[in-house]
Amino acid sequence: MSLVKLTIKGISYSQTQNGAYALILNEVDGERKLPIVIGAFEAQSIAIALEKEIKPPRPLTHDLFKTFADRFEIVVKQVIIHKLVDGVFYSSIICERDNNEEIIDARTSDAIALALRFDAPIFTYKNILDKAGVFLNLNPSEGNPENTDNDDILSEPETFGSSDDSAAGFSRHSLEELYNMLEEAVQNEDYEKAAKIRDEIDKKES
């Protein structure tokens, strides 16, 4: 079975499961998306790994694993989403130490959170993408004639935070205020809010 390389398209609040998030993976050489429902903690951990400039004051679980692996010279080479059963994705972490390869079973959300921290590629098998891949219209203003039945899976994707923490709300603040808010959010370990503030700072500084 041939492998298909994936990249992270984004994280959206799940419209189908209350309190959950959908991690959207995109095939590198194609248009299909692979939505995977994950928990809030895993979504936060992945979001922090994507936001390179946000450093938690204390290490999260996946950061601790990275430090532990580095100390013992364990390298994550790649992550493979290798099975889909009853809507649940199963993944393997391919590790290497002293030129010896080990395959470790993991939840897909944990595997991807670690892949980001190791800059390791993410793959799935073509038959899984054929079965679960969809063409999601992430921009309501853009038409997409294919797989329109799937458009409501993640309609109007949201970033983290409540409506009070929308980008429009942050745009009213000055850069100095935003930096103070960013520091406060990180100190309070509210990384979801910190990510949105970071985005607004980037907009103002660009």
Side-chain angles (χ1 to χ4, degrees):
M1 292 183 290
S2 59
L3 288 172
V4 178
K5 189 173 183 180
L6 304 170
T7 58
I8 295 177
K9 180 72 173 179
I11 301 175
S12 300
Y13 188 77
S14 175
Q15 302 296 314
T16 59
Q17 295 192 30
N18 188 32
Y21 291 83
L23 172 67
I24 307 173
L25 303 175
N26 190 86
E27 61 176 326
V28 172
D29 297 318
E31 297 298 326
R32 287 176 296 181
K33 312 295 189 293
L34 191 64
I36 301 175
V37 176
I38 61 176
F41 171 78
E42 292 79 10
Q44 176 179 274
S45 181
I46 291 171
I48 290 171
L50 290 171
E51 287 285 339
K52 302 296 185 182
E53 296 183 35
I54 295 179
K55 301 296 182 185
R58 295 177 295 171
L60 300 180
T61 302
H62 298 112
D63 298 321
L64 178 61
F65 183 95
K66 174 66 163 60
T67 302
F68 182 90
D70 289 343
R71 187 67 56 88
F72 291 93
E73 299 181 347
I74 300 169
V75 178
V76 172
K77 304 295 290 185
Q78 62 183 3
V79 162
I80 300 176
I81 304 171
H82 64 83
K83 186 167 63 174
L84 174 61
V85 179
D86 296 330
V88 178
F89 292 91
Y90 294 78
S91 294
S92 295
I93 302 173
I94 313 301
C95 302
E96 186 178 272
R97 181 173 184 267
D98 295 334
N99 294 322
N100 293 319
E101 186 176 278
E102 297 286 345
I103 301 176
I104 300 175
D105 181 49
R107 295 188 306 168
T108 297
S109 54
D110 290 328
I112 290 175
L114 291 175
L116 285 171
R117 286 162 171 81
F118 283 89
D119 292 322
I122 303 166
F123 296 94
T124 191
Y125 288 109
K126 183 178 181 298
N127 65 322
I128 293 178
L129 195 58
D130 289 341
K131 180 179 180 181
V134 295
F135 290 90
L136 291 180
N137 183 12
L138 297 181
N139 188 341
S141 65
E142 296 178 2
N144 189 341
E146 299 188 71
N147 284 20
T148 53
D149 292 340
N150 294 317
D151 287 348
D152 61 351
I153 294 177
L154 295 173
S155 60
E156 298 182 5
E158 302 171 4
T159 54
F160 291 113
S162 66
S163 57
D164 294 336
D165 292 335
S166 65
F170 289 131
S171 64
R172 299 193 300 266
H173 297 279
S174 67
L175 272 174
E176 182 179 357
E177 290 173 331
L178 287 172
Y179 273 110
N180 290 334
M181 292 167 65
L182 176 61
E183 182 178 355
E184 181 181 355
V186 172
Q187 289 300 319
N188 292 334
E189 300 187 21
D190 188 351
Y191 305 118
E192 301 168 354
K193 183 177 180 180
K196 299 187 75 172
I197 297 172
R198 179 75 258 176
D199 288 344
E200 185 61 33
I201 290 174
D202 289 341
K203 288 180 184 178
K204 286 181 176 292
E205 291 185 334
S206 62

